[in-house]
Amino acid sequence: MHEVTTSRRDAMRSLAILPAIIAMPAVASAAPMLVCATADQIADARAWNAAMTHYLKAKADGETFDRERLGPQFEAARAKFGEERPFKGQPGWAEYKEWCEASGFSSVMKQWDDMSKAEGDAHVALLKIPAPDMPALRWKLEQTFDDDGEIALWSEKIALTIRSDFQRLLIGESVA
């Protein structure tokens, strides 16, 4: 019979490869994702990431504008005219309209409209782009409901894109 003997040096060599052996299942499970990405999937991910970056910037710009410019203008209007500002045809309308022009409130409101439109356009464009992965699909699905639980899909194209994402990304998944 042969005896199994190991020297201290052999034991230390064995310990050196232990992390690689332990990591093999994780590497093996990640390998298909690393190796099997098609050019279309990479392009989809790049387009998604660019559109998400654009949307997040537009959203952040809007929040900054709201905090730094719009909020103070509304506070100034409240201080001058109270909670209920006059509307066209009501007493005080001419004074209010004049104040809006002189204070820059009208200009700020126009800028706010433009920024809101830009943010909305970026949001819709992002929703129309194919989701490159499950986190992106999850983000899209979370966008489909308003805070009150009502469905917030803005167009059939967005709904069909999300459906296509779902079918493409969940191939082989059991859907209950």
Side-chain angles (χ1 to χ4, degrees):
M1 277 183 134
H2 292 64
E3 282 188 48
V4 177
T5 59
T6 58
S7 68
R8 198 172 101 216
R9 182 175 286 165
D10 290 337
M12 294 307 279
R13 280 189 210 137
S14 297
L15 289 175
I17 65 165
L18 192 57
I21 293 170
I22 292 170
M24 273 188 186
V27 171
S29 67
M33 294 177 71
L34 298 172
V35 175
C36 297
T38 66
D40 287 343
Q41 289 169 325
I42 292 168
D44 286 349
R46 285 183 181 146
W48 174 267
N49 291 339
M52 178 61 84
T53 298
H54 178 69
Y55 165 68
L56 291 175
K57 178 162 180 2
K59 184 176 180 179
D61 289 348
E63 289 169 354
T64 299
F65 184 83
D66 189 29
R67 184 178 58 255
E68 294 177 1
R69 302 277 317 273
L70 189 62
Q73 284 286 358
F74 272 115
E75 288 304 316
R78 264 190 216 102
K80 179 129 178 99
F81 298 98
E83 289 297 320
E84 298 294 323
R85 66 180 191 268
F87 290 98
K88 192 173 187 173
Q90 292 181 332
W93 169 250
E95 180 188 1
Y96 176 72
K97 182 125 174 90
E98 184 180 309
W99 178 85
C100 287
E101 292 301 321
S103 69
F105 188 73
S106 294
S107 173
V108 168
M109 289 300 292
K110 170 72 171 107
Q111 288 176 301
W112 180 74
D113 281 345
D114 292 345
M115 292 183 90
S116 294
K117 184 178 179 333
E119 180 183 338
D121 290 349
H123 193 212
V124 169
L126 182 58
L127 288 166
K128 288 181 179 179
I129 292 175
D133 52 31
M134 292 301 288
L137 177 57
R138 180 185 191 119
W139 182 89
K140 286 173 109 177
L141 289 171
E142 288 171 353
Q143 303 304 300
T144 62
F145 292 94
D146 287 328
D147 292 336
D148 62 1
E150 294 294 317
I151 294 175
L153 290 177
W154 303 279
S155 74
E156 182 178 356
K157 179 169 176 139
I158 291 171
L160 292 175
T161 300
I162 292 172
R163 180 177 178 218
S164 174
D165 293 338
F166 187 83
Q167 291 170 335
R168 178 176 36 82
L169 292 171
L170 293 179
I171 293 173
E173 295 281 332
S174 65
V175 180

